[in-house]
Each structure stands twice: as structure tokens, then as C-alpha cells.
Amino acid sequence: MCRSHHGRPWVTLYVLRDHVSKPRDIIHDDSRLKPTRKDPLTTLTRIQRVVYLQAVDLFTYCNAEQMMRIAGIARQRDFAAGEKVYSVNDAAESMCCVVEGTVKLRGVAGSERRIESREIFGVSEILSDRLRSEDAWVDSDTVALVIDAEDFFDLLSNNVEIVKALFRQLLRSPETFENLHETATPQLATG
Amino acid sequence: MKSRSARKPRGKTHEAHDSWLSYLEIDLRAGEADISWLLFAVHFLLLMFQYTAKALRQSIFIDSLGADKLPIVYLLVALCSYPLLIAHSRMVDRWAQGRLIAASSLAVGASLLAFWWLFKTQSDWVSIAFYVWISVTGILLVSQFWSYACHLLDARQAKRLFGFVGAGGILGSIAGGQLARWASGALDTYTTLLLAAAVLAALAFLMHWKAPRANIPPPCADDAQALTDARAGFSVVRSSPYLRLIAAIMLLSGMVAQVVDLQFGWAIEQNTSNLVERTAAFGNLYSVMGIGALIFQLAATARIHRRRGVGFALRVLPVTNGIGSVGFLMAAMFFPGLLLWMAWLLKIGENGLRYSLEQATRELLFLPVPENQRPKAKAFIDVFIQRAAKGVAAIALLPVVLGWISVQHTAWFSLVWIVIWIGLVGSTHRHYVRSFRDSLLRRLAPANEVDVFDRATLEVLIEGLGSADPRETLHSLELLSVHDRGHLVPPLMLHHEDPEIRAKTLEILQAAERRDAMPLVERLLMDPDAEVRAAATRALAALTRKDLRQQMLERLGDPDVRIRSTAVTYLASRADPEVRLRADSCFAELLADGDPEVRLEAARALGEIADPQYQAGMVRLLYDSDPRVVRAAVEAVSARVDRGARNPLYVPILISRLHDRRLKHEARKALVAYGRNVIPALQHFMNDEQEEIWVRRALPKTIARIGGAAALTALTESLTAPDPFLRRKVVEALSSLRANNHQLSPQRAPIETQLIIECQGHLRALIDLTQLKKLPSNGGNGQSQQQPAATSSEPHLLARLLADRMDDHTHNIFRLLGLVHPQRDIRAAYQSLLSDRPERRAHALEYLDNLLQGEVRMAVFVVIDDLPFRERLRLAKKIFDLSPASSADTLRRLATHRSAGDADAAWMTAAALHYIHDHRLTHLYPVIRRAAKVDLEPLVQETTNLLLPHIDQ
């Protein structure tokens, strides 16, 4: 099913059929306005933030106006290769969308995952209000959009339509729930 | 009492009238006298007719066929009443209710004349037909009367006045019995039919001349609803063990009542020798029963509920019936001379209790049933179970008709049924307590439906105080407080961990004058919660009846900021200037403290101090740098406003705080507390283009929360807001306003005008979106390409913005339609239009096609109808003069033209510029270069700064 068919069925009745495709088919070719660390433009513009965030799975069902609001609370952060993003049992205070570069995640069991461009990480701990269950460090120089949990929840508390859009995506992706379950380890009494 | 004192002074007669009504605890308010007396009189006449006719019905049948044939008519009544009820509900849909009662009364009166004539034939079937006819029409006339009364009085009036109206009925039943007794002796039993017809004629006359001419709808909807409810009630009753028990009790109770009726009829037959005597006996019976019910209702019902509870009340009827049945059996076997007296006692006891204690207890049994299930369950039991009881009893009593057993032996039936009945009562009472506890847990029991006179209910409430769930504890406290049972609240509740419960307990202890709680109250002066401290101060002052001034003055120097702020709260209201000065000085120190925790306490204390004291301090805290302090200050304003102080000084600050997501809810709550007087200010800021846009966008919901006609007018006047987001909020606010108050009817003209504008906007966005699709990429004008064009099949941001805009217009269209048409139906039509199922879409279109008219219909249908795109375009051109420009011109317009007042319009411009670059539309690159030079909007500048280096490569 196409994105808009879920998100805005009215429009798909007769308009966007030819404009849309599967969300996973999003391919930004290299010629798009993709910033890199070598790019003279070191700061992402607001429109670039919207463009990148709308390609993130979590926000599949958010409309453009909602993406503008989310982009409004996202801040750009540049990480150097080898830099630690967070460690196991850190408080979960933000989530990150990788614009450019690679981030590696390692769980307590030793399993590793690579996060690449247009992927988001650190979400499950935010949504489940748990401590970090993985170490995250930067594999290659990385540009990321960071969304603070507090700002994000403030935004959600004032925009029920965004909450609905997130729920729609969470219900569509059982793997997201599984991730939430896996990371839902009890809070450690570390004081 | 307030309303009474507010009335204009009136004459002595009226005062006397008021005083004796007040003595009877009848609260008849201004403007209600005419309608109440009309209902009283109509009910009197109706029951007078009914009991005259019932006495005649019983005596004529027994005289003609014998009491042992009564089960035949019981069965016929059970079989005929339900089909007649359905037929009645279908037939009467064209009659206004007042006229229907008048017409029905005349028709039944005419039928009595017909029966008077038919009785001259001395055929047995006439007695049977008369019995069934009187039974069924009696039910219908009473049902029509209560339906009419329910339409004339709203729910609150009904609660106050139904007792008065019901008293008319009881007096009517007494009079009816005596009319039958007197007339059959003085005239002739059959001639009494003519008097009963005259009573109905008087009723019809009264309804015709005195009933209000207001347009009271026909009762079909109610009756049909009752039948629908009754049918739906089957599944409700089946799924609930508690309701099944109630239904079983009602069934058994109805069956026993039929046996008692048969026994009494037989006893009368045995002890009377002619029709006149029998009619007199039945007439007397109904009068005595009426008096008995009245006395029992006034003297015993409330007392039994209060002292013995529902469990005891439920057992009274079966136990008295059981004793009566044993007595009847004993008399039949050993003391035949006492048989008539036993039958009398049994019948009077049965009927007297049934229409007083049993009826009131039954209403109590339904209280713990969830509100959405209650009407269905009650309707099912009223419509089906009561009739089923008659039918089952009739079938069980058929051996009497066949002569297999005598009427005396039917007492055995009663005894067996009574034993089962008593057994079920125990289970029902246990379920009642459990269900009630569950409903308390879920806070389903409204205060006005809780009967604290019932011991079981009171036990549940006391248990609730110890609940682990603070909501249940608080609910129990509130219910005890509302019903003046504060003395039952233990002072140990002051140790509860929940501050709200501690504060509520203090309030209750203060009201109950619990001086024994003073040591505990004093401890709470150091409570961590400001509200609890303030409540403790108030309670202490009230309980000691002393001035705590000296005690509090000493506390102004306490190192604990909470104690200092409590002392300030108390002393700030003193009249003594010296004391005030010291309090002011202490408060100024709190206010100026560098520690936000101290300022936070100051802000909390302000909520407990009466306005306008320390208003300058309040303003200062509303602008504090710490958001927690600002939040506490906003809550303090809210608390002051709730106490009636509507200081306009805070309004602009509260409005400005709406822009902060974290304070918006509190600021809105405070503004809503100001009420409708603040609406003009809110409307002004909402429409002020100089005001911050997020403040403006938060205001429609705030206005809608205040509600009322002023809110409706303010929002309707703002429907033309140029900012689409704000306009959407205005439409949403209007929609929620209407949903919460169906009585509000917005002006049609501005809404219809806006509807047409929304349709036009939708089509404009649609045409733009379609034109985008036609744009050739890779430099469709043949220019050479420096870079490959975007290959993503994901809709571009520009397309998504246009699609959002279409969605916005569509939502607005349907919400606006919901303002001038039935909201629920419009919402259902909208959902159906979004359905994948063609038949649902077709139904929705058909519904809207019939509902909408004129220009609105034409405009809306261009948007929603299933049309080929070309046809939609043709209609858009014809109706709105909208026609597609070339794709390049469309994009150029989107990139350069912004509608005034649209705060997000720059996003469309930026997205259009981005689109030009992403699709390598080189022939439109000059648009980007020009925007970089002339468009100073920061977002556009940011975007052109990004794009220019790429297009100039």
C-alpha cells in the first residue's frame, strides 16, 4: 500500500496515485542536495531537514505540515569518526536521524547493527522511557539530526495528529514493537 | 430555596400554596405550576378511569365465568399486549402527543359505550374481550401519559415533580375504586361504564383545552426506541449475571402476583352473591390498596431503605407474600371463615408493597448498571419479562381452569416460587454490592444516583476510603461529603499520601466541625503541598474559632519556605495594617529570592490569596525566567479566577503564554475560567495580524472551551481568517462547540459562503497538483543538463504540501457542513466517502445529494462526486472560473506568489524553488535567481542560498 493511501485516503481517491510509491522505495540520488562534511554548507537548511526526516520510516505517515513541526525541533549535530554517541545505561534524552555517515550500535549481548543515512536510532528507549540498552558510536564522520525527547513529547502533547501518524507506523511495523520489547529492560537502580 | 426567594413577592394565597407544597417537600418553581397541575389532574383522571374499569373488569368476568377461568384472560393479555404495543407505536407516528392522549381517551371512552351496549347480549365472550381490552388499553394510556410527561419536563424537573404527579395518580386510583363501588350500588354495574367513559371524556377535554400548544413531537420515536431498546436489552441482560438475577426476580414476582390475583378473585366470588356486591368489593379493594400504597410510600419505603438497606427491602415482598400464602392455605384447610380476610390481606399487602417499596427498590437495583446499558435492560424487563410473567403464570394455572386442582391449592405454586425468589434475592443483593463497588471503582456512580441511606452503599463508600486507588478514595470522599456524611470520614485520612485527598479530607473535617482532628490538622501546616497547607490553615482557623495571627507571625521567620509562604497566605488577608506590612515584606523577599524553588512557593501561595492582593507580584512571576514558576503562577491565576476574581490585568499575559507549548494548556485553562467576558479580548488577539501566529492559532480552541452563543459568534466572524492553519482551528473549534451544545445554531449564511470558498481552495490545489505531474524534468525545454534529474518516486515536498492543503479544505468542508446539518450524519457520510467500498460511497453521495441544496450542493459535489478529472475541471471552470495554467506558470506562481496572511506560505515558495532544482527545470532557474534577490523571507533566503551554488555550476 502506498504511503498516501494510509495517510490521506481522501487525496488518493483521485489525485496522488501517480505521485506516490512505497515508502521504502525512496531513493535520493547523489545529485540531490545532500550535505556532507566537505560541503561548504555545514548547516542543514530547514527544507533539507524536512526532506531528510520525511524519508525516515518512523515519520512515514506524517504529512508535510507535521514534518515542518518535527523539523522545527530537530537540531543538526556533526560527529567525528570514533565518537561515542551514548553508552548502555545512559539516560535516553534524544533520538538521532543519520543524514550522512554511519553509526554502529552494540547491545549487551554483543550483537552489532549499522545505522546509515536516512535511518533513525535511539527511538525505542525514548518511547519506552528506559535507559539505553546499547552502546552507540560513530563509525565514519556523521551528520545527524538530533531530536530531544523533551521537545518531541512536548510537540506530541500539542499535536495529536502526529501521535496518530506515529501510532499508524508503529502498528504497521511489528519489528518496531519487538525492538521496544527487547529494549524494555528494567531501570537499573543506579541512583 | 434560592429560586423561591428570588421570585417576585406574591399574594397570601400563593404563599400558603407554596408553604404546604414545601411541607410535602414538593419543589414547584416559577413557571412550573400550570404544567404540574395539568399533569397531576390528567394522571388523577387517568388512574380514576383505570381503577373504575379494573373493578368492573374483575367483577364482570368473575360474575360471568367464575374466578377459576381467570388464567385464560391472563394468558390472552400476555399474548395480546406486545403485538398491540408494536401496532400502537407504528400507528401513532403522525400525532402530536397531547392530541394523541386526547384522541386515545375519546376512542377508549367510545369503546366503553360499545361494551355497555354489548353487555346487553349477555355473551361470555364480551366479558373476556372487555377484560383483555381494559388491561391492554390501560397499559397504553398510562404509557402515553408518561411519555408526554417526559417530553414536557426535562430530567431535572422530572426528578422534582414526578412525585407530585404520581400523587395525583394514587388519589385517582382511590377515587376510581370508590366511583365503581358507589355507582354500581346507586345505579347499575354496567351503567358505571358510562361514568368511566365520562371520566375519559373529561380527560380528553382537559388535554384539548389546557395542554400546552408547544410542538411536542409524536411519541413514535420514543416508543420505537423503547421497543428497540427492549430487543437490544435481551443481549445486555443475557450477558450480565446481575441483570439475569434481576430479570428472574421480576419474573417470579410477576408470577406470584398473578396467583394472588386469582386467589383474591376466587375469595370474592365465594363471599359475594351478585355483580353489585362484587363490584363494590373490588372498588373498595382498589381504594384501600391506593391508600395502603400511599401510606407505605410515605411512611415506610424511605425508612426501610435507610435503616435496613436494599437487601432487606428486596426480601419484604416475598416474605410477606409467603406468610400470606401460608395463611391462605391454612385458612382454606382449617378456617374457611377466615379465607376472605386472608385473601384481602394477601392482596392488599402484595399490591401495596409492589407499587411502593418494591418499585423503589427495583429502581435502586438498576443504579450500579452502567448508564449505557441501563435503559436497554430496563426496557427489556418492562416490555418482555413483566408480560412473560403473566404468560408463564397463566400456563402454570391452567390446571385450575381445567378443574384438576382448586384455587386454594394454587398457594403451593406461590410458595414454591417464593422460596426460589427468596434464594435469588440473596444472590442479587451480593451482586448489587459487588456491581456497585465496581462502578465506584470506575467512577461510574454519579453523586445524585447514590443512595447513602442504603447501608450496603454506605459500607462500600467507607471501604472505598481505604482503597489503594486514590481516585476511588477521592470519589468516596466526595460522595460522602455531598450527602452530608462527612462525620464518617476518619481524620487518619489526613495521612494519605495523595495531596488532593488530604486537602479534601481537611475540607470535610472542617465542614463536619471535627475538633478532635485538630492536632493532625496542625501538622499539615508544614505539608509539602501548598494547597494542603492553605486548607489546613483554613480548617484550623475554623475549628479553633481563634485568630491564628500570633502563631503565623512567628512563622514568618521560619527557615522553611513552605511554612513562611503558609504564614503569608494566612496573614495577607488580615485587616491589621501592621500584620499586613510584615506579610508583604516577607512575600517581597520570597519574590526576589534567587532560588527558583522559593519563587515557586511564592507562586503557589498566590493561588491561595484573594485577588487583587499581590497582583504586581503575580505579574512578575508570570514573566519569571523559570518555566516551573510561570506554570505555578498561571495555575495561581486559574485558582483566583475559579474563586470569582476575574482580574483583567492577567488576561494579555495569559494570552501571550499560549505560544509556549509547555504552558499552553495551563494558560488556556485559566483563560477559560474567565468565562464569556474574556471572549472579545480573545477574538481581538485572534484576528490581530501583529500578534504571534502560534498565539492566534491557540485561541479558537480556547474560545470554544468557554462555549455559549458569544463564542459561536466570535468564531463564526473569524471564519475568513487568511491563515489556513488558523482557519482550520476556527472550523474545528466551531465543530466541537456544536458537538458539545446542539442547542447552538450558527448563522447559515457565513458558513455557506465559507463552504464555497473551501471548495474553491480544494479545486485550486488539485489543479496545481495535477499540473506538477505534467512538468517535464531533465530540462524539458531542451537545455543541456549539468546534473541528472531526481529519480525518486516519492512525492516531492511541494506535492505533499499541496495535498495537505486539499486535505485541509476537505476537512473544513465537512466540518462546516456539520455545523448546519446533523453532525453525526455528516461525519458518517465523510467516513463512507473515504471507504474502499463503492456502495458505501454511493450511499454517502446519495445522502448528501438529498441533503444539500443550491450553490453549496453544486460546489461540494464538484469536490466529492466520482467524476472523470476532465469533467471535474470543466465544472471547476464553470462554477469557480478556475482553469489550469501551464505547468511552468503554475510552478512560477507557487514560487513567487504568497497569499497574504498565510503564515506558512513561505514553505510553499521554498518547496517550489526546491522542486525546480530537484527536477532540473533549467528554464525556471531564473525564478530561483530572482527569488534570491527580491524575496527577503528568511526561509526563502535560506533555500536560495542552498540552491544557487548548485544551479550556477
Side-chain angles (χ1 to χ4, degrees):
Chain A
M1 296 290 277
C2 62
R3 168 188 291 199
S4 294
H5 187 73
H6 279 293
R8 293 187 302 276
W10 184 264
V11 173
T12 49
L13 287 177
Y14 51 79
V15 183
L16 277 184
R17 288 189 188 99
D18 301 326
H19 279 271
V20 296
S21 66
K22 292 176 186 171
R24 300 292 302 180
D25 293 344
I26 301 162
I27 301 163
H28 288 260
D29 70 82
D30 289 339
S31 65
R32 288 238 179 169
L33 299 169
K34 185 172 63 179
T36 67
R37 290 182 64 77
K38 292 166 191 165
D39 198 306
L41 279 171
T42 53
T43 306
L44 289 169
T45 63
R46 278 177 276 177
I47 207 155
Q48 282 176 302
R49 287 183 210 173
V50 172
V51 169
Y52 276 99
L53 287 172
Q54 75 179 10
V56 173
D57 261 0
L58 184 66
F59 306 125
T60 296
Y61 293 105
C62 293
N63 67 23
E65 183 199 297
Q66 291 156 1
M67 288 316 306
M68 280 153 46
R69 313 282 170 239
I70 295 169
I73 58 166
R75 60 191 164 83
Q76 182 185 339
R77 192 169 160 196
D78 297 353
F79 294 93
E83 194 176 336
K84 198 90 170 175
V85 182
Y86 54 72
S87 304
V88 172
N89 288 339
D90 279 356
E93 289 167 349
S94 59
M95 54 186 171
C96 300
C97 166
V98 175
V99 175
E100 172 66 30
T102 322
V103 173
K104 279 195 171 175
L105 303 178
R106 185 191 295 132
V108 280
S111 59
E112 275 194 13
R113 289 192 291 144
R114 273 169 69 87
I115 303 292
E116 296 180 334
S117 177
R118 295 183 303 281
E119 287 185 299
I120 196 162
F121 65 98
V123 180
S124 54
E125 293 100 328
I126 298 287
L127 295 181
S128 57
D129 196 21
R130 302 281 165 170
L131 301 178
R132 295 293 185 195
S133 59
E134 294 169 311
D135 289 317
W137 74 96
V138 177
D139 194 36
S140 60
D141 285 357
T142 294
V143 179
L145 287 171
V146 179
I147 299 174
D148 280 341
E150 200 183 333
D151 290 338
F152 187 59
F153 286 123
D154 276 342
L155 182 65
L156 296 191
S157 72
N158 287 280
N159 291 275
V160 72
E161 295 303 323
I162 301 181
V163 179
K164 285 186 199 168
L166 296 182
F167 264 115
R168 194 170 288 166
Q169 169 62 10
L170 288 173
L171 291 169
R172 200 194 68 146
S173 319
E175 68 272 16
T176 317
F177 276 123
E178 282 167 23
N179 287 341
L180 285 178
H181 177 68
E182 281 167 16
T183 57
T185 50
Q187 293 271 14
L188 296 176
T190 55
Chain B
M1 286 297 128
K2 271 181 184 175
S3 64
R4 209 181 294 286
S5 62
R7 278 188 238 158
K8 288 177 187 173
R10 295 184 301 173
K12 281 186 179 174
T13 317
H14 279 112
E15 294 297 337
H17 170 263
D18 275 4
S19 67
W20 72 262
L21 285 176
S22 302
Y23 180 74
L24 293 172
E25 295 192 3
I26 295 166
D27 184 7
L28 209 61
R29 296 181 185 171
E32 291 175 347
D34 287 352
I35 200 68
S36 303
W37 280 110
L38 172 74
L39 290 174
F40 180 92
V42 171
H43 199 206
F44 174 86
L45 290 173
L46 185 58
L47 273 276
M48 189 177 175
F49 150 74
Q50 201 181 15
Y51 278 85
T52 308
K54 273 173 93 169
L56 295 173
R57 176 193 79 179
Q58 296 292 116
S59 61
I60 290 171
F61 184 88
I62 289 170
D63 194 66
S64 167
L65 292 156
D68 56 349
K69 299 292 184 295
L70 277 171
I72 295 172
V73 279
Y74 295 160
L75 191 60
L76 285 173
V77 170
L79 292 174
C80 295
S81 53
Y82 181 61
L84 272 173
L85 202 63
I86 293 176
H88 170 261
S89 74
R90 288 181 184 160
M91 278 167 54
V92 297
D93 58 347
R94 275 184 248 156
W95 293 73
Q97 294 209 35
R99 289 174 61 195
L100 178 71
I101 293 176
S104 303
S105 302
L106 283 179
V108 174
S111 75
L112 294 182
L113 297 180
F115 274 111
W116 174 72
W117 180 78
L118 283 169
F119 275 123
K120 289 181 180 172
T121 63
Q122 296 194 327
S123 306
D124 289 347
W125 70 266
V126 182
S127 305
I128 296 173
F130 181 67
Y131 192 105
V132 175
W133 176 247
I134 290 300
S135 302
V136 173
T137 52
I139 296 168
L140 292 184
L141 284 174
V142 170
S143 153
Q144 283 176 6
F145 170 76
W146 284 112
S147 175
Y148 177 68
C150 286
H151 271 94
L152 280 184
L153 304 175
D154 64 33
R156 298 184 72 80
Q157 287 176 314
K159 277 196 167 177
R160 282 187 290 108
L161 301 176
F162 271 8
F164 177 64
V165 176
I170 291 176
L171 293 175
S173 67
I174 296 168
Q178 287 310 300
L179 177 68
R181 188 192 64 80
W182 169 81
S184 70
L187 306 167
D188 163 44
T189 298
Y190 297 113
T191 311
T192 311
L193 283 173
L194 302 180
L195 292 181
V199 170
L200 283 179
L203 194 159
F205 177 81
L206 194 64
M207 286 302 298
H208 183 73
W209 292 105
K210 288 291 179 186
R213 291 282 179 266
N215 185 23
I216 297 170
C220 59
D222 281 355
D223 284 358
Q225 185 62 42
L227 288 171
T228 312
D229 277 356
R231 288 186 201 114
F234 175 65
S235 56
V236 171
V237 171
R238 196 179 53 177
S239 63
S240 159
Y242 178 59
L243 286 171
R244 284 205 301 271
L245 280 170
I246 297 178
I249 284 181
M250 296 302 160
L251 184 77
L252 288 164
S253 148
M255 287 160 62
V256 172
Q258 289 300 90
V259 177
V260 171
D261 189 66
L262 173 67
Q263 290 166 344
F264 182 75
W266 178 80
I268 294 286
E269 185 187 8
Q270 299 302 309
N271 289 278
T272 52
S273 54
N274 59 49
L275 182 58
V276 174
E277 281 183 24
R278 283 168 188 153
T279 309
F282 278 109
N284 276 334
L285 166 78
Y286 290 127
S287 294
V288 174
M289 262 169 29
I291 294 167
L294 187 65
I295 292 171
F296 206 86
Q297 179 73 23
L298 295 175
T301 301
R303 209 161 289 179
I304 287 176
H305 281 147
R306 192 179 309 145
R307 297 192 182 164
R308 297 293 189 156
V310 170
F312 181 85
L314 277 171
R315 288 179 177 92
V316 171
L317 184 59
V319 168
T320 51
N321 273 347
I323 293 168
S325 295
V326 170
F328 185 83
L329 209 54
M330 299 293 279
M333 287 193 286
F334 306 113
F335 312 105
L338 294 177
L339 202 59
L340 179 64
W341 289 108
M342 284 313 302
W344 259 92
L345 286 175
L346 185 57
K347 180 72 178 169
I348 290 171
E350 203 279 331
N351 266 262
L353 288 170
R354 174 174 300 281
Y355 295 111
S356 53
L357 183 67
E358 183 72 0
Q359 184 76 26
T361 309
R362 192 185 126 183
E363 294 301 320
L364 288 177
L365 283 181
F366 281 102
L367 286 183
V369 179
E371 242 176 292
N372 58 339
Q373 294 180 1
R374 202 182 300 161
K376 291 176 186 167
K378 281 181 84 170
F380 174 75
I381 287 169
D382 284 345
V383 174
F384 292 110
I385 298 294
Q386 307 273 29
R387 287 166 181 75
K390 285 187 200 306
V392 173
I395 292 167
L397 293 171
L398 280 180
V400 178
V401 180
L402 299 171
W404 296 346
I405 57 169
S406 68
V407 173
Q408 297 99 300
H409 292 119
T410 55
W412 290 110
F413 287 98
S414 301
L415 286 172
V416 171
W417 292 340
I418 286 166
V419 168
I420 302 171
W421 181 359
I422 291 174
L424 290 177
V425 161
S427 303
T428 308
H429 186 233
R430 281 193 295 279
H431 270 81
Y432 168 78
V433 174
R434 201 181 311 145
S435 305
F436 189 70
R437 183 181 290 124
D438 291 347
S439 70
L440 275 181
L441 267 172
R442 300 193 303 270
R443 296 178 63 106
L444 290 174
N448 59 351
E449 287 192 357
V450 171
D451 178 19
V452 289
F453 293 126
D454 176 43
R455 204 171 54 180
T457 307
L458 209 51
E459 280 173 16
V460 171
L461 290 179
I462 301 290
E463 274 178 43
L465 294 179
S467 167
D469 181 354
R471 288 172 309 166
E472 191 192 346
T473 308
L474 196 62
H475 192 45
S476 297
L477 279 173
E478 278 165 2
L479 292 176
L480 287 167
S481 165
V482 165
H483 292 285
D484 293 331
R485 291 292 182 278
H487 60 278
L488 297 176
V489 175
L492 283 173
M493 294 295 295
L494 294 174
H495 288 301
H496 202 282
E497 59 185 16
D498 189 298
E500 208 177 343
I501 289 173
R502 294 199 298 276
K504 186 71 193 172
T505 307
L506 280 165
E507 190 187 300
I508 291 171
L509 293 176
Q510 181 187 333
E513 298 185 350
R514 293 284 298 272
R515 289 194 183 76
D516 56 321
M518 269 170 44
L520 288 173
V521 174
E522 203 161 352
R523 261 190 231 172
L524 291 189
L525 292 175
M526 286 175 282
D527 194 275
D529 188 273
E531 198 183 330
V532 176
R533 292 198 302 271
T537 316
R538 282 194 298 271
L540 205 59
L543 292 174
T544 56
R545 292 179 184 162
K546 286 180 189 167
D547 196 349
L548 301 176
R549 187 174 53 180
Q550 192 52 43
Q551 207 176 342
M552 292 297 167
L553 277 171
E554 286 164 15
R555 292 179 180 189
L556 283 178
D558 198 286
D560 188 332
V561 65
R562 292 172 303 181
I563 294 176
R564 291 210 303 275
S565 67
T566 307
V568 169
T569 307
Y570 181 80
L571 296 171
S573 60
R574 303 296 100 186
D576 185 344
E578 192 184 332
V579 170
R580 288 276 295 273
L581 199 63
R582 287 187 60 186
D584 293 353
S585 158
C586 181
F587 182 73
E589 283 172 24
L590 295 177
L591 208 61
D593 201 293
D595 182 356
E597 293 296 333
V598 176
R599 299 199 302 278
L600 193 61
E601 285 303 328
R604 286 171 182 162
L606 282 179
E608 304 299 330
I609 298 171
D611 210 75
Q613 264 189 299
Y614 303 143
Q615 61 178 3
M618 180 75 92
V619 171
R620 186 168 160 181
L621 291 174
L622 283 169
Y623 285 116
D624 198 278
S625 56
D626 189 300
R628 289 174 308 150
V629 177
V630 180
R631 189 191 304 271
V634 172
E635 285 168 354
V637 172
S638 206
R640 286 181 167 203
V641 176
D642 282 341
R643 287 202 297 272
R646 293 181 169 78
N647 191 338
L649 185 68
Y650 312 130
V651 171
I653 309 172
L654 290 173
I655 291 175
S656 72
R657 285 298 175 187
L658 288 171
H659 87 277
D660 187 338
R661 285 202 303 270
R662 295 169 202 197
L663 292 168
K664 188 163 79 174
H665 296 303
E666 284 78 12
R668 176 175 287 143
K669 191 178 158 206
L671 285 167
V672 170
Y674 271 88
R676 63 181 178 189
N677 290 340
V678 83
I679 288 178
L682 301 183
Q683 189 182 6
H684 167 78
F685 286 109
M686 180 168 67
N687 295 325
D688 181 3
E689 291 188 6
Q690 304 303 313
E691 183 54 70
E692 212 269 328
I693 188 66
W694 285 104
V695 170
R696 296 175 63 199
R697 288 169 174 179
L699 283 167
K701 190 173 180 178
T702 312
I703 294 173
R705 288 269 173 91
I706 294 170
L712 182 73
T713 309
L715 290 168
T716 309
E717 285 171 2
S718 305
L719 266 176
T720 50
D723 179 49
F725 193 105
L726 175 59
R727 198 167 58 240
R728 190 174 80 210
K729 291 290 163 191
V730 170
V731 175
E732 281 174 5
L734 274 168
S735 184
S736 77
L737 194 60
R738 178 92 201 285
N740 293 329
N741 187 351
H742 293 288
Q743 307 299 322
L744 289 176
S745 50
Q747 285 181 326
R748 222 179 168 93
I751 287 167
E752 291 189 340
T753 306
Q754 190 57 34
L755 259 168
I756 291 168
I757 293 170
E758 296 291 344
C759 292
Q760 188 174 9
H762 176 99
L763 292 167
R764 177 77 272 166
L766 168 66
I767 291 169
D768 289 347
L769 193 55
T770 315
Q771 291 309 104
L772 283 190
K773 206 173 65 173
K774 294 180 183 169
L775 273 169
S777 50
N778 296 320
N781 58 357
Q783 290 181 19
S784 62
Q785 292 302 294
Q786 294 165 326
Q787 292 173 328
T791 56
S792 169
S793 52
E794 166 73 0
H796 190 274
L797 180 63
L798 180 62
R800 293 177 62 149
L801 283 170
L802 286 168
D804 279 2
R805 191 169 277 189
M806 286 172 61
D807 268 353
D808 264 3
H809 288 301
T810 315
H811 280 124
N812 286 350
I813 289 167
F814 279 88
R815 285 208 170 94
L816 289 167
L817 284 174
L819 296 177
V820 287
H821 297 290
Q823 211 166 18
R824 210 170 58 168
D825 297 346
I826 293 291
R827 202 176 301 135
Y830 178 63
Q831 294 299 334
S832 297
L833 284 171
L834 297 180
S835 168
D836 288 335
R837 291 165 58 188
E839 71 275 14
R840 285 192 65 187
R841 285 181 52 74
H843 285 168
L845 287 170
E846 185 59 25
Y847 167 71
L848 292 169
D849 197 12
N850 286 290
L851 184 74
L852 308 181
Q853 290 175 337
E855 282 183 317
V856 171
R857 187 192 160 282
M858 272 168 47
V860 170
F861 265 75
V862 182
V863 173
I864 65 170
D865 208 355
D866 278 332
L867 296 171
F869 185 69
R870 190 170 294 177
E871 176 62 7
R872 203 183 303 280
L873 268 187
R874 189 187 69 75
L875 289 170
K877 167 81 179 156
K878 183 181 164 192
I879 298 170
F880 299 111
D881 197 23
L882 288 175
S883 48
S886 73
S887 301
D889 284 348
T890 299
L891 201 49
R892 196 174 284 116
R893 176 170 52 78
L894 291 171
T896 55
H897 180 260
R898 283 202 291 278
S899 52
D902 180 353
D904 291 328
W907 277 98
M908 190 70 85
T909 308
L913 297 171
H914 202 260
Y915 189 97
I916 291 170
H917 171 269
D918 264 10
H919 288 76
R920 309 290 174 263
L921 303 172
T922 50
H923 61 295
L924 291 174
Y925 281 178
V927 176
I928 299 177
R929 293 193 186 96
R930 181 171 164 71
K933 284 180 190 163
V934 300
D935 197 332
L936 301 179
E937 167 65 39
L939 180 66
V940 177
Q941 281 296 303
E942 187 184 278
T943 308
T944 53
N945 286 342
L946 169 76
L947 302 177
L948 283 175
H950 292 270
I951 65 173
D952 289 338
Q953 276 176 16

